[in-house]
Amino acid sequence: MKTFEYTIKDELGIHARPAGLLAKAAKGLDSKVTIDKDGKSADATKLFAIMGLGVKNAETIKITVDGGDEEASAKAMEKFFSDNL
């Protein structure tokens, strides 16, 4: 299991467009990706679960990558977050 934290830089937080891109990116990985915020967690492949977290600008979330090729999947998720959020 690999985990990392990321602070959202997008002015609108995780809104519909980047949440959709995130779900699509997570579905393409060999690992399960989970996002945690304030004691709530969401499967990163589920658009409405991501939106339900209500992540705003400057909030820090924890991303957990488990199973499959964790190293490559974690790097892909870190790149996705830095490029899009």
Side-chain angles (χ1 to χ4, degrees), residues 1 15 21 34-35 45 47 49 58 61-64 73 83:
M1 179 181 345
H15 54 96
L21 293 173
T34 308
I35 301 169
T45 62
L47 173 63
I61 56 174
K62 182 173 114 182
I63 297 91
T64 304
S73 296
D83 289 350

Side-chain angles (χ1 to χ4, degrees), residues 2 9-10 12-14 22-23 26 30 32-33 39 42 47 49-50 54 61-62 69-71 75 77 81 83-84:
K2 305 282 278 176
K9 296 172 183 70
D10 189 305
L12 302 174
I14 300 182
L22 173 58
D30 191 31
K32 179 178 176 162
V33 180
L47 173 63
I50 297 167
I61 56 174
K62 182 173 114 182
D69 187 356
E70 293 174 355
E71 192 67 40
K75 284 184 181 176
M77 281 288 97
F81 277 95
D83 289 350
N84 296 287

Side-chain angles (χ1 to χ4, degrees), residues 28-59:
L29 299 175
D30 191 31
S31 304
K32 179 178 176 162
V33 180
T34 308
I35 301 169
D36 296 299
K37 178 194 164 247
D38 297 335
K40 296 188 331 188
S41 68
D43 181 339
T45 62
K46 312 280 187 200
L47 173 63
F48 289 110
I50 297 167
M51 297 292 296
L53 292 175
V55 181
K56 308 283 186 231
N57 182 34
E59 291 184 328

